[in-house]
């Protein structure tokens, strides 16, 4: 599975962005998907995850109520809608696919290349 993330950019605090991650291959609908981020000098952290069917989701406490993860298995794409962005959301965002879990323990077996999100105050 190859993953291609897009949609990052520079926005002001309070604005919104939508990230997309397009997957190649016919196994997308069998994989749990997630979004991670890594800020400079910090460890990579999971932001959100979604079950292969779309029937379950997980969010880090820091983004609950502001971010929404969704997937379209017909389009082999997972999305991350980010609202009310804060400067502390600034990071490189990565999409990942995992055969086993989409929750806090998600490790990611396949990774996209990352897209930069910068939120100015």
């Amino acid at each position: 599975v190859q993953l291609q993330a897009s949609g990052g950019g520079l926005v002001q605090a309070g604005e919104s962005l939508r990230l997309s991650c397009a997957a190649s291959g016919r196994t997308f609908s069998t994989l749990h998907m997630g979004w991670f981020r890594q800020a400079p000098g910090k460890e990579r952290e999971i932001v959100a995850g979604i079950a292969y069917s779309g029937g379950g989701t997980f969010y880090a406490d820091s983004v609950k109520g502001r971010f929404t993860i969704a997937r379209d298995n017909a389009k082999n794409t997972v999305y991350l809608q980010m609202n009310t962005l804060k400067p502390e959301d600034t990071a490189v965002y990565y999409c990942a696919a995992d055969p086993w879990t989409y929750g806090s323990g998600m490790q990611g077996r396949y990774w996209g290349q990352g897209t930069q999100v910068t939120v100015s105050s």
Side-chain angles (χ1 to χ4, degrees), residues 12-90:
Q12 293 187 335
E15 295 185 339
S16 299
L17 276 177
R18 189 176 81 155
L19 305 183
S20 299
C21 176
S24 64
R26 295 181 290 178
T27 60
F28 178 78
S29 62
T30 68
L31 294 169
H32 305 305
M33 297 297 297
W35 287 96
F36 291 72
R37 68 186 180 188
Q38 186 167 21
K42 294 187 177 182
E43 293 186 353
R44 186 176 60 198
E45 61 176 353
I46 186 169
V47 175
I50 187 166
Y52 68 94
S53 63
T57 57
F58 166 84
Y59 296 96
D61 288 344
S62 58
V63 306
K64 280 180 181 177
R66 300 189 298 122
F67 290 11
T68 302
I69 189 170
R71 67 189 296 161
D72 185 336
N73 285 348
K75 295 182 178 180
N76 280 11
T77 302
V78 62
Y79 306 96
L80 185 67
Q81 178 67 42
M82 305 185 294
N83 298 330
T84 320
L85 282 161
K86 303 175 181 180
E88 50 264 43
D89 294 319
T90 295

